[in-house]
Amino acid sequence: MQKYMNLVNGKYVEPLTGKYFEDLNPADNTDIIGIFPRSGSDDIKNAVRSAKEAFPAWRDLPPPKRGDLIYKLGELLLKNQEKLAKIIVREMGKTLPESMGDIQSSADVAYFAAGEGRRMYGQTTYSAQFRKWAITKRVPVGVCGLITAWNAPMAIITWKLLPAVICGNTVVLKPSEDTPLTAHMFGELIKEAGFPDGVINIIYGMGPETGEALVKEKDVDLISFTGSTKVGRKISEECGRQMKKCSLELGGKNGLVVMDDADLNAAADAVARGAFSTAGQRCASTSRAFIHEEIYDDFLKLLIEETKKMKVGVGTDPNTKVCPIINKKQFTDIMGYIKGAKKDGATLLYGGNALTEGEFSKGYFIEPTIFENVDLYSKLAQEEIFGPVLAVFKINSLAEAIEKVNSVKYGLTASIFTSNMRNGLIAMEKFEVGCCYVNAPTFGSEPHMPFGGVKDSGNGQREPGTQSLDVFSEWKTIYLNYS
Ligand code: NDP
């Protein structure tokens, strides 16, 4: 059994706790991928010290030079794309094309972040006084603690970490306990790219132990977190107490509207893929669909046809469209939502079962599941399930659809299918979300664009895009007097 170690100051080190945890394959829980450090607060302290010591030299390296290393990392990500994607398939469970996309997105953000090293523009303007310049300049924040989720294991790391380091910060990364090998591979690549020791440190462990210790550590100047709203709220409270900068990318309960003038085939394809690909384990998954009453029955027929094409299976099978669920806890939670919806009187239209026989016997698999006649304020319609479960609702107007899309505490993404530009523009204006789509699924983001949500889906920060520079840098204002 391969034992992996923390990466501190460029060296692999054992955890001071002496404890380890197993990294399991969600498609086959007899497949132990490796054992990883179950680190404690002293391990975090050492990593933070290393990041702090590396900070002055990294801060003083001109951003284009920092960008050269990030560019090289982008090249390495692409060179190793298939190998890395296969690790994601084994460790996280999603399909090979989805995993290849994860690495592609990471390389794209590397190229984008490298380019930012040659932009990073500030302002130069006139002072109100004679012979004085007024200038603004971006400066790094310091040591950044990065805490990531498992569902896009490389993309989420790079979306935070590369904007952080291009700005001149040094980092301590605490990846999800479900996908540590992807983080280890990232560590290998940053060594190969030639990043100086201590700029990027990786500490493995459990959220409430290792993650919490990172948030509490006084010498960490900023926390960037992607994960659930519940944990994000806790992190935000601690950062608030310490006056620590904090960026939160949190959960979603995303709605898609299908109007009576929509291309129904395209809409059915988008709803099925949005709800069931990656087994619904995306922050931007479609978990509610609002269908115009005029086309409701026709649309449901098409949706069920599309759903039948969503084959459940292991990520290594090229025919698989719906991968396993990440772990037993998540599997149990999703099945609890399905049971609860039946109890609450919702009508099961499709699926609803766990698959436990034959090829499914060693992993966590759930059929794509569709409910109708769902109470808008039930748990199924209000809470993030993070599984392959969709609730469909009948609506009779655009206004009703928008009100219902907005009826949740989350505000990550929303979409409308319509051939009427006016409907699309009104939805764009009225959806209470950070990312909105017209005639496209509720997911899909590009590295040069900001991604994030409003309401309980975030705290107003955006990663990646140029906007991520605002997360990972401070503005310094300079007055230059030559009178
Ligand atoms: P969690 O909130 O459970 O965990 C996220 C990360 O935080 C993990 O690394 C976890 O460690 C760590 N963590 C857990 N508890 C604590 C704590 N008390 N203090 C510090 N760190 C902690 O989320 P999941 O990993 O289950 O990810 C799914 C969630 O992520 C969903 O809500 C999804 O919507 C959201 N997400 C949001 C995205 C966005 O861009 N808005 C993108 C992708 C996902 P460990 O793994 O050890 O538990």
Coordinates of all heavy atoms in Angstrom, one line a residue, residues 21 146-152 156 159-160 174-179 204-215 223 225-232 234-235 248-254 281-285 326-327 330 384 386 410 412 451-453 457-458 463, ligand 1:
F21 N -5.0 8.2 6.8 CA -6.4 7.7 6.4 C -6.3 7.1 5.0 O -5.4 7.3 4.2 CB -7.4 8.8 6.4 CG -7.2 9.9 5.4 CD1 -7.8 9.9 4.2 CD2 -6.4 11.0 5.7 CE1 -7.6 10.9 3.2 CE2 -6.2 12.0 4.7 CZ -6.8 12.0 3.5
L146 N -6.0 27.4 1.5 CA -7.0 27.0 0.4 C -7.6 25.7 0.8 O -6.9 24.7 1.1 CB -6.3 26.9 -0.9 CG -5.4 28.0 -1.4 CD1 -4.7 27.8 -2.7 CD2 -6.1 29.4 -1.4
I147 N -8.9 25.6 0.8 CA -9.6 24.4 1.2 C -10.6 24.0 0.1 O -11.4 24.8 -0.3 CB -10.4 24.6 2.6 CG1 -9.4 25.0 3.7 CG2 -11.1 23.3 3.0 CD1 -10.1 25.4 5.0
T148 N -10.4 22.8 -0.4 CA -11.1 22.5 -1.7 C -12.1 21.3 -1.5 O -11.9 20.4 -0.7 CB -10.1 22.2 -2.8 OG1 -9.2 21.2 -2.4 CG2 -9.3 23.5 -3.1
A149 N -13.0 21.2 -2.4 CA -14.0 20.1 -2.5 C -13.5 19.1 -3.5 O -12.5 19.3 -4.2 CB -15.4 20.7 -3.0
W150 N -14.2 17.9 -3.5 CA -13.7 16.8 -4.3 C -14.3 16.6 -5.7 O -13.8 15.9 -6.5 CB -14.0 15.5 -3.5 CG -15.4 15.5 -3.0 CD1 -15.9 15.9 -1.8 CD2 -16.6 15.1 -3.7 NE1 -17.2 15.8 -1.7 CE2 -17.7 15.3 -2.9 CE3 -16.9 14.6 -5.0 CZ2 -19.0 15.1 -3.3 CZ3 -18.2 14.4 -5.4 CH2 -19.3 14.6 -4.5
N151 N -15.3 17.4 -6.0 CA -16.1 17.0 -7.2 C -15.4 17.5 -8.5 O -15.6 16.9 -9.6 CB -17.5 17.6 -7.1 CG -17.6 19.1 -7.0 OD1 -16.6 19.7 -6.5 ND2 -18.6 19.6 -7.5
A152 N -14.6 18.5 -8.4 CA -13.7 18.9 -9.6 C -12.3 19.0 -9.0 O -11.8 20.1 -8.8 CB -14.2 20.1 -10.2
I156 N -10.7 22.8 -9.1 CA -11.0 23.7 -7.9 C -9.6 24.1 -7.3 O -9.5 25.3 -6.9 CB -11.9 23.0 -6.9 CG1 -13.3 22.8 -7.5 CG2 -12.0 23.9 -5.6 CD1 -14.3 22.0 -6.6
W159 N -8.1 26.7 -9.8 CA -8.9 27.9 -9.9 C -8.6 28.9 -8.7 O -8.7 30.1 -8.8 CB -10.4 27.6 -9.8 CG -10.9 27.1 -11.1 CD1 -10.3 26.5 -12.1 CD2 -12.3 27.2 -11.5 NE1 -11.1 26.2 -13.1 CE2 -12.4 26.6 -12.8 CE3 -13.4 27.7 -11.0 CZ2 -13.5 26.5 -13.5 CZ3 -14.6 27.6 -11.7 CH2 -14.7 27.1 -13.0
K160 N -8.2 28.3 -7.6 CA -7.8 29.2 -6.4 C -6.3 29.5 -6.4 O -5.9 30.6 -6.2 CB -8.1 28.5 -5.1 CG -9.5 28.0 -4.9 CD -9.6 27.4 -3.5 CE -11.0 27.2 -3.2 NZ -11.9 28.3 -3.4
K174 N -5.3 22.5 1.7 CA -5.9 21.3 2.3 C -6.9 20.8 1.4 O -8.1 21.3 1.3 CB -6.5 21.8 3.7 CG -6.7 20.7 4.7 CD -7.5 19.5 4.3 CE -9.0 19.6 4.4 NZ -9.7 18.4 3.9
P175 N -6.6 19.8 0.6 CA -7.6 19.2 -0.4 C -8.6 18.3 0.4 O -8.4 18.0 1.5 CB -6.7 18.4 -1.3 CG -5.5 18.0 -0.5 CD -5.3 19.0 0.5
S176 N -9.6 18.0 -0.4 CA -10.7 17.1 0.2 C -10.1 15.8 0.6 O -9.2 15.2 -0.1 CB -11.8 16.9 -0.8 OG -12.6 15.9 -0.4
E177 N -10.6 15.2 1.6 CA -10.1 13.9 2.1 C -10.5 12.8 1.0 O -9.9 11.7 1.0 CB -10.6 13.5 3.4 CG -12.1 13.2 3.4 CD -12.7 13.0 4.8 OE1 -12.9 14.0 5.5 OE2 -12.9 11.8 5.2
D178 N -11.4 13.1 0.2 CA -11.9 12.1 -0.8 C -11.0 12.1 -2.1 O -11.1 11.2 -2.9 CB -13.3 12.4 -1.2 CG -14.3 12.0 -0.1 OD1 -14.3 10.9 0.3 OD2 -15.0 12.9 0.4
T179 N -10.2 13.1 -2.3 CA -9.4 13.2 -3.5 C -8.0 13.7 -3.3 O -7.5 14.6 -3.9 CB -10.1 14.1 -4.6 OG1 -10.4 15.4 -3.9 CG2 -11.3 13.5 -5.2
Y204 N -2.6 17.1 4.1 CA -3.8 16.3 3.9 C -4.4 16.1 5.3 O -3.8 16.2 6.3 CB -3.4 14.9 3.4 CG -2.7 15.1 2.0 CD1 -1.3 15.1 2.0 CD2 -3.4 15.2 0.9 CE1 -0.6 15.3 0.8 CE2 -2.8 15.4 -0.3 CZ -1.4 15.4 -0.4 OH -0.7 15.6 -1.6
G205 N -5.7 15.8 5.3 CA -6.4 15.5 6.6 C -7.9 15.7 6.5 O -8.5 15.9 5.4
M206 N -8.5 15.6 7.6 CA -10.0 15.7 7.8 C -10.4 17.2 7.9 O -9.7 17.9 8.6 CB -10.5 15.0 9.0 CG -10.0 13.5 9.2 SD -10.8 12.5 8.0 CE -9.4 11.9 7.0
G207 N -11.5 17.5 7.3 CA -12.0 18.9 7.4 C -12.0 19.5 8.8 O -11.4 20.5 9.1
P208 N -12.8 18.8 9.7 CA -12.9 19.4 11.1 C -11.6 19.4 11.9 O -11.6 20.1 12.9 CB -14.0 18.5 11.7 CG -14.7 17.8 10.6 CD -13.6 17.7 9.5
E209 N -10.6 18.7 11.4 CA -9.3 18.7 12.2 C -8.4 19.6 11.4 O -8.1 20.7 11.8 CB -8.8 17.3 12.3 CG -9.7 16.3 13.0 CD -9.3 14.9 12.8 OE1 -8.2 14.6 12.2 OE2 -10.0 14.0 13.3
T210 N -7.9 19.1 10.3 CA -6.9 19.8 9.5 C -7.4 21.2 8.9 O -6.7 22.2 9.0 CB -6.3 18.9 8.4 OG1 -6.3 17.6 8.9 CG2 -5.0 19.3 7.9
G211 N -8.6 21.1 8.3 CA -9.1 22.3 7.7 C -9.4 23.4 8.7 O -9.0 24.5 8.5
E212 N -10.0 22.9 9.8 CA -10.3 23.9 10.9 C -9.0 24.5 11.5 O -8.9 25.7 11.7 CB -11.1 23.2 12.0 CG -12.0 24.2 12.7 CD -13.0 23.5 13.6 OE1 -13.8 22.6 13.0 OE2 -13.0 23.7 14.8
A213 N -7.9 23.7 11.6 CA -6.7 24.2 12.1 C -6.1 25.3 11.2 O -5.5 26.3 11.6 CB -5.7 23.1 12.3
L214 N -6.3 25.1 9.9 CA -5.8 26.0 8.9 C -6.5 27.4 9.0 O -5.9 28.4 9.0 CB -5.9 25.4 7.5 CG -5.4 26.2 6.3 CD1 -3.9 26.5 6.4 CD2 -5.6 25.5 5.0
V215 N -7.8 27.3 9.2 CA -8.6 28.5 9.3 C -8.2 29.2 10.6 O -8.2 30.5 10.6 CB -10.1 28.1 9.3 CG1 -11.0 29.4 9.5 CG2 -10.5 27.4 8.0
I223 N -8.4 33.0 3.7 CA -8.9 31.6 3.5 C -9.8 31.7 2.2 O -10.7 32.5 2.0 CB -9.8 31.1 4.6 CG1 -8.9 30.9 5.9 CG2 -10.5 29.8 4.2 CD1 -8.0 29.7 5.8
F225 N -12.2 29.1 0.2 CA -12.9 27.8 0.5 C -13.9 27.5 -0.6 O -14.7 28.3 -1.0 CB -13.6 27.9 1.8 CG -14.6 26.8 2.1 CD1 -14.1 25.6 2.7 CD2 -15.9 26.9 1.9 CE1 -15.0 24.5 2.9 CE2 -16.8 25.9 2.2 CZ -16.3 24.7 2.7
T226 N -13.9 26.2 -1.1 CA -15.0 25.8 -1.9 C -15.6 24.5 -1.3 O -14.9 23.6 -1.0 CB -14.5 25.4 -3.3 OG1 -14.0 26.6 -4.0 CG2 -15.6 24.8 -4.2
G227 N -16.9 24.6 -1.0 CA -17.5 23.5 -0.3 C -19.0 23.8 0.1 O -19.6 24.7 -0.6
S228 N -19.5 23.2 1.1 CA -20.9 23.3 1.4 C -21.1 24.7 2.1 O -20.2 25.2 2.8 CB -21.3 22.2 2.3 OG -20.5 22.2 3.5
T229 N -22.3 25.1 2.1 CA -22.7 26.4 2.7 C -22.6 26.2 4.3 O -22.2 27.2 4.9 CB -24.2 26.8 2.3 OG1 -24.1 27.0 0.9 CG2 -24.7 28.0 3.0
K230 N -22.9 25.0 4.8 CA -22.8 24.8 6.2 C -21.4 25.0 6.7 O -21.2 25.8 7.7 CB -23.3 23.4 6.5 CG -23.4 23.0 7.9 CD -24.0 21.6 8.1 CE -23.7 21.1 9.4 NZ -23.3 19.7 9.4
V231 N -20.4 24.4 6.0 CA -19.0 24.6 6.5 C -18.5 26.0 6.2 O -17.8 26.6 7.0 CB -18.1 23.5 5.8 CG1 -16.6 23.8 6.2 CG2 -18.5 22.1 6.3
G232 N -19.0 26.5 5.0 CA -18.6 27.9 4.6 C -19.0 28.9 5.7 O -18.2 29.9 6.0
K234 N -19.4 28.4 8.9 CA -18.5 28.3 10.0 C -17.1 29.0 9.8 O -16.6 29.7 10.7 CB -18.3 26.8 10.2 CG -18.3 26.3 11.6 CD -18.3 24.8 11.7 CE -17.6 24.5 13.0 NZ -17.1 23.2 13.2
I235 N -16.6 28.8 8.6 CA -15.3 29.3 8.3 C -15.4 30.9 8.3 O -14.5 31.6 8.8 CB -14.8 28.8 6.9 CG1 -14.4 27.3 7.1 CG2 -13.7 29.6 6.3 CD1 -14.0 26.6 5.8
L248 N -15.6 32.6 -0.4 CA -16.4 31.3 -0.2 C -17.1 31.0 -1.5 O -17.9 31.9 -2.0 CB -17.4 31.5 0.9 CG -16.9 31.9 2.3 CD1 -18.0 32.3 3.2 CD2 -16.0 30.8 2.9
E249 N -16.9 29.8 -2.0 CA -17.7 29.3 -3.2 C -18.5 28.2 -2.7 O -18.0 27.1 -2.4 CB -16.7 28.9 -4.3 CG -15.8 29.9 -4.8 CD -16.5 31.0 -5.7 OE1 -17.6 30.8 -6.1 OE2 -15.8 32.0 -6.0
L250 N -19.8 28.3 -2.6 CA -20.6 27.4 -1.8 C -21.7 26.7 -2.7 O -21.6 26.6 -3.9 CB -21.3 28.1 -0.6 CG -20.3 28.9 0.2 CD1 -21.0 29.7 1.3 CD2 -19.2 28.0 0.8
G251 N -22.7 26.1 -2.0 CA -23.6 25.2 -2.7 C -24.6 25.9 -3.6 O -24.6 27.1 -3.7
G252 N -25.4 25.1 -4.3 CA -26.4 25.6 -5.2 C -27.7 24.8 -5.2 O -27.7 23.6 -4.7
K253 N -28.8 25.4 -5.7 CA -30.0 24.6 -5.8 C -30.6 25.2 -7.1 O -31.5 26.0 -7.1 CB -30.9 24.9 -4.6 CG -32.2 24.1 -4.6 CD -32.0 22.6 -4.3 CE -33.2 21.8 -4.5 NZ -32.9 20.3 -4.4
N254 N -30.0 24.8 -8.2 CA -30.2 25.5 -9.5 C -31.4 25.1 -10.2 O -31.8 24.0 -10.3 CB -28.9 25.3 -10.3 CG -27.7 25.5 -9.4 OD1 -27.4 26.5 -8.9 ND2 -26.9 24.4 -9.2
Q281 N -23.4 15.6 -8.9 CA -22.5 16.0 -7.8 C -21.7 17.3 -8.3 O -20.5 17.2 -8.4 CB -21.5 14.9 -7.4 CG -22.3 13.7 -6.9 CD -21.3 12.5 -6.7 OE1 -21.0 12.1 -5.6 NE2 -20.9 11.9 -7.8
R282 N -22.4 18.2 -8.8 CA -21.8 19.5 -9.2 C -22.5 20.6 -8.4 O -23.7 20.5 -8.3 CB -22.1 19.8 -10.7 CG -21.5 18.9 -11.7 CD -22.0 19.3 -13.0 NE -21.8 18.4 -14.1 CZ -21.0 18.5 -15.1 NH1 -20.3 19.6 -15.2 NH2 -20.9 17.6 -16.0
C283 N -21.8 21.7 -8.1 CA -22.4 22.8 -7.4 C -23.5 23.4 -8.4 O -24.4 24.0 -8.0 CB -21.4 23.8 -7.0 SG -20.4 24.4 -8.3
A284 N -23.2 23.2 -9.7 CA -24.1 23.9 -10.7 C -25.1 22.9 -11.3 O -25.7 23.2 -12.4 CB -23.3 24.5 -11.8
S285 N -25.3 21.7 -10.7 CA -26.3 20.7 -11.3 C -27.7 21.3 -11.3 O -28.0 22.2 -10.5 CB -26.3 19.5 -10.4 OG -25.2 18.7 -10.5
I326 N -19.8 9.7 -4.3 CA -18.4 9.8 -3.8 C -18.1 8.9 -2.6 O -17.1 8.3 -2.5 CB -18.0 11.3 -3.5 CG1 -16.5 11.4 -3.1 CG2 -18.9 11.9 -2.4 CD1 -15.6 11.2 -4.2
N327 N -19.1 8.8 -1.7 CA -18.8 8.0 -0.5 C -20.1 7.6 0.2 O -21.2 8.0 -0.2 CB -17.9 8.8 0.5 CG -18.5 10.1 0.9 OD1 -19.7 10.3 1.1 ND2 -17.6 11.1 1.1
Q330 N -22.5 10.4 1.6 CA -23.2 11.1 0.6 C -24.3 10.2 0.0 O -25.4 10.7 -0.2 CB -22.2 11.6 -0.5 CG -22.8 12.5 -1.5 CD -23.3 13.8 -1.0 OE1 -23.0 14.2 0.1 NE2 -24.2 14.4 -1.7
E384 N -29.8 21.5 -1.0 CA -28.9 21.0 -2.0 C -28.8 19.5 -1.7 O -28.4 19.1 -0.6 CB -27.5 21.7 -1.9 CG -26.6 21.2 -3.0 CD -25.2 21.8 -2.9 OE1 -24.7 21.8 -1.7 OE2 -24.6 22.2 -3.9
F386 N -27.0 17.2 -4.0 CA -25.7 16.8 -4.5 C -25.7 15.3 -4.9 O -24.9 14.5 -4.6 CB -24.6 17.1 -3.5 CG -23.4 17.7 -4.1 CD1 -23.5 18.9 -4.8 CD2 -22.1 17.1 -4.0 CE1 -22.4 19.5 -5.3 CE2 -21.0 17.7 -4.5 CZ -21.2 18.9 -5.2
Y410 N -30.3 29.6 -1.9 CA -29.1 29.6 -2.8 C -29.3 30.5 -4.0 O -30.4 30.8 -4.4 CB -28.8 28.2 -3.3 CG -28.5 27.2 -2.2 CD1 -29.4 26.2 -1.8 CD2 -27.2 27.2 -1.7 CE1 -29.1 25.3 -0.8 CE2 -26.9 26.3 -0.7 CZ -27.8 25.3 -0.2 OH -27.5 24.4 0.7
L412 N -26.8 30.2 -7.0 CA -25.5 30.0 -7.8 C -25.8 30.1 -9.3 O -25.3 31.0 -9.9 CB -25.0 28.6 -7.5 CG -23.6 28.3 -8.0 CD1 -22.6 29.3 -7.5 CD2 -23.1 26.9 -7.5
F451 N -16.8 33.0 -11.7 CA -17.8 32.0 -11.3 C -18.1 32.2 -9.9 O -17.2 32.3 -9.0 CB -17.3 30.5 -11.6 CG -18.3 29.5 -11.3 CD1 -19.3 29.2 -12.3 CD2 -18.3 28.8 -10.1 CE1 -20.3 28.3 -12.0 CE2 -19.3 27.8 -9.9 CZ -20.3 27.6 -10.8
G452 N -19.4 32.1 -9.5 CA -19.7 32.2 -8.1 C -21.2 32.6 -8.0 O -21.9 32.8 -9.0
G453 N -21.6 32.6 -6.7 CA -23.1 32.8 -6.5 C -23.4 33.9 -5.6 O -22.5 34.5 -4.9
S457 N -25.0 31.1 -1.6 CA -24.0 30.4 -2.5 C -22.6 31.0 -2.4 O -21.7 30.5 -3.1 CB -24.5 30.3 -3.9 OG -25.7 29.6 -4.0
G458 N -22.4 32.0 -1.7 CA -21.1 32.6 -1.6 C -21.1 33.9 -0.8 O -22.1 34.2 -0.2
E463 N -14.1 33.6 -8.3 CA -12.9 32.9 -8.7 C -13.3 32.1 -10.0 O -14.4 31.6 -10.0 CB -12.3 31.9 -7.7 CG -12.0 32.6 -6.4 CD -11.7 31.6 -5.3 OE1 -11.7 30.3 -5.5 OE2 -11.5 32.0 -4.1
Ligands
NDP1 P1 -17.6 20.2 2.5 O1 -18.1 21.5 2.9 O2 -18.0 19.1 3.3 O3 -16.0 20.2 2.4 C1 -15.3 21.0 1.6 C2 -13.9 21.1 2.1 O4 -13.9 21.6 3.4 C3 -13.2 19.7 2.2 O5 -11.8 19.9 2.0 C4 -13.5 19.4 3.7 O6 -12.6 18.4 4.2 C5 -13.3 20.7 4.3 N1 -13.9 20.9 5.6 C6 -15.0 20.2 6.1 N2 -15.3 20.6 7.4 C7 -14.4 21.6 7.6 C8 -14.3 22.5 8.8 N3 -15.0 22.4 9.8 N4 -13.3 23.5 8.7 C9 -12.5 23.6 7.6 N5 -12.6 22.8 6.5 C10 -13.6 21.8 6.5 O7 -18.1 20.0 1.0 P2 -17.9 18.8 0.0 O8 -16.4 18.4 0.0 O9 -18.8 17.7 0.3 O10 -18.2 19.4 -1.4 C11 -19.5 19.6 -1.9 C12 -20.0 21.0 -1.7 O11 -19.1 21.9 -2.4 C13 -21.4 21.2 -2.3 O12 -22.1 22.0 -1.4 C14 -21.1 22.0 -3.5 O13 -22.2 22.8 -4.0 C15 -19.9 22.8 -3.1 N6 -19.2 23.2 -4.3 C16 -19.2 24.6 -4.7 C17 -18.6 25.0 -5.8 C18 -18.7 26.5 -6.2 O14 -17.8 26.9 -7.0 N7 -19.6 27.2 -5.7 C19 -17.8 24.1 -6.7 C20 -17.8 22.7 -6.2 C21 -18.5 22.3 -5.1 P3 -13.0 16.9 4.1 O15 -12.9 16.5 2.7 O16 -11.9 16.2 4.9 O17 -14.3 16.8 4.7

